[in-house]
Amino acid sequence: MKAFLVVFISVFGLIAAIFIAVLWDYIYYPIIGFKAEHAAVVYMKSEDFLIESVAYSKQFGEDKGKYLVTAHPATRPQLKFYVSVSQDFKVDEHSFKESKWRYDTIKEYAPLISQLSPGFDCYAVNINIPKELLDKFSAETQYKDIRKLHEHATEEYLFMGMAVDPYFTEQRALEYGYLVTEFMKQRALKDASMEIIFYPKSFIESLGNDIRKNDVFTMQSDTMNSKFYREALPFKIQFDTRTGKTKTTLDLIKSPEDMKPFLTKK
């Protein structure tokens, strides 16, 4: 009987310990997520950001979890800003730098987007910055300064939805793609890519303010049931210096005609 009680107490204690651990990690920490939000807000003090969500997660086998704080500039809800905050409410400096410099990059592309698609600026820019540069520079450093000091070290990937008139042609698509490559050339990148999808202005205008609820990745959906897929023009620009049968470099694009291998069709 005594042995049974010892086993029973041991098993019960183990179950209770597991229950408490689960309760602590998956209920307690999400509840106090506002602390992670506060930590992120302090880091983002230089910009007027609005917090969208705070999500807590913990990978199986890891000692600690982390919060992913999603925010956007007050005036640009379609631009996302992500900050990773540890379980002890410390901002991941590398993730913050990457997010901040990605945001800097998005702003640098704004004049180009305004030129190509006036009145409609649904786009995103992802970047890749080597770890040694993430370690070397502080978050206060401007991304453009890093590019100038370390040419051919960083990578940028543009995803863009463009509103065009009813008479838009494949030739004009080549010309627009060429303008993007010329812009990227001036940035002295190691590698670059772009994906540009074209939509009739009438379709974009029919969405009204609802268009702001859709980011460029939603608009790039290739699902047949997607209204964006159905309404997009039957061709797009896909260019990547890193992969593909038509792998090339920015310097080899010398005219709109050189973009022909990168004009793809549905």
Side-chain angles (χ1 to χ4, degrees):
M1 184 64 177
K2 184 178 179 179
F4 172 78
L5 288 174
V6 171
V7 172
F8 176 79
I9 292 172
S10 298
V11 172
F12 179 80
L14 178 61
I15 293 174
I18 293 174
F19 177 76
I20 292 172
V22 170
L23 185 69
W24 190 262
D25 284 333
Y26 297 100
I27 297 180
Y28 172 73
Y29 278 109
I31 287 176
I32 61 171
F34 65 89
K35 292 188 176 182
E37 177 179 331
H38 175 72
V41 168
V42 170
Y43 253 77
M44 297 186 295
K45 60 183 181 297
S46 60
E47 297 279 356
D48 184 15
F49 283 97
L50 298 178
I51 302 297
E52 291 187 8
S53 63
V54 180
Y56 175 81
S57 64
K58 184 178 181 182
Q59 298 298 320
F60 182 75
E62 292 187 357
D63 292 334
K64 294 183 178 181
K66 63 181 179 180
Y67 296 90
L68 179 64
V69 180
T70 304
H72 67 256
T75 58
R76 306 282 300 280
Q78 72 273 32
L79 300 184
K80 307 301 179 184
F81 195 98
Y82 303 96
V83 181
S84 180
V85 181
S86 66
Q87 188 171 289
D88 53 0
F89 309 111
K90 294 181 180 178
V91 173
D92 182 318
E93 189 175 20
H94 273 191
S95 78
F96 177 74
K97 288 178 183 178
E98 288 178 322
S99 196
K100 179 181 181 300
W101 291 336
R102 184 182 301 112
Y103 180 59
D104 288 345
T105 310
I106 288 171
K107 291 192 292 185
E108 289 177 18
Y109 272 76
L112 172 69
I113 305 304
S114 295
Q115 175 188 354
L116 298 179
S117 185
F120 180 62
D121 60 351
C122 192
Y123 72 104
V125 185
N126 286 335
I127 61 174
N128 180 38
I129 300 177
K131 183 179 181 299
E132 57 268 24
L133 298 186
L134 287 171
D135 292 333
K136 181 176 181 179
F137 294 98
S138 68
E140 285 69 33
T141 308
Q142 295 293 312
Y143 173 68
K144 62 182 179 181
D145 295 330
I146 297 175
R147 282 194 298 100
K148 291 176 182 178
L149 290 171
H150 296 272
E151 293 187 349
H152 307 293
T154 59
E155 303 174 16
E156 295 176 1
Y157 323 121
L158 171 67
F159 305 89
M160 179 182 179
M162 185 182 298
V164 298
D165 61 56
Y167 308 105
F168 193 78
T169 63
E170 293 184 10
Q171 179 59 37
R172 287 180 63 192
L174 297 177
E175 294 169 359
Y176 279 37
Y178 175 68
L179 288 174
V180 176
T181 61
E182 287 295 290
F183 179 86
M184 287 180 159
K185 284 179 187 178
Q186 303 305 315
R187 300 174 70 77
L189 303 170
K190 176 185 176 182
D191 276 305
S193 72
M194 73 180 80
E195 182 170 342
I196 308 175
I197 299 180
F198 305 94
Y199 300 93
K201 284 184 179 179
S202 57
F203 167 65
I204 297 301
E205 291 169 355
S206 71
L207 297 174
N209 292 330
D210 287 343
I211 191 61
R212 295 301 180 185
K213 299 177 183 178
N214 299 283
D215 62 23
V216 67
F217 300 110
T218 301
M219 296 186 69
Q220 285 181 311
S221 171
D222 58 2
T223 304
M224 291 296 292
N225 293 330
S226 167
K227 61 184 177 183
F228 296 109
Y229 180 86
R230 296 195 304 268
E231 296 293 339
L233 297 188
F235 53 85
K236 61 183 177 181
I237 297 288
Q238 286 185 297
F239 174 92
D240 197 327
T241 63
R242 302 163 299 171
T243 59
K245 296 179 180 179
T246 52
K247 184 176 180 179
T248 188
T249 64
L250 289 170
D251 290 338
L252 291 178
I253 306 299
K254 302 181 183 299
S255 72
E257 298 305 306
D258 293 330
M259 293 299 297
K260 280 186 176 180
F262 312 104
L263 182 72
T264 64
K265 299 186 178 183
K266 286 184 180 179

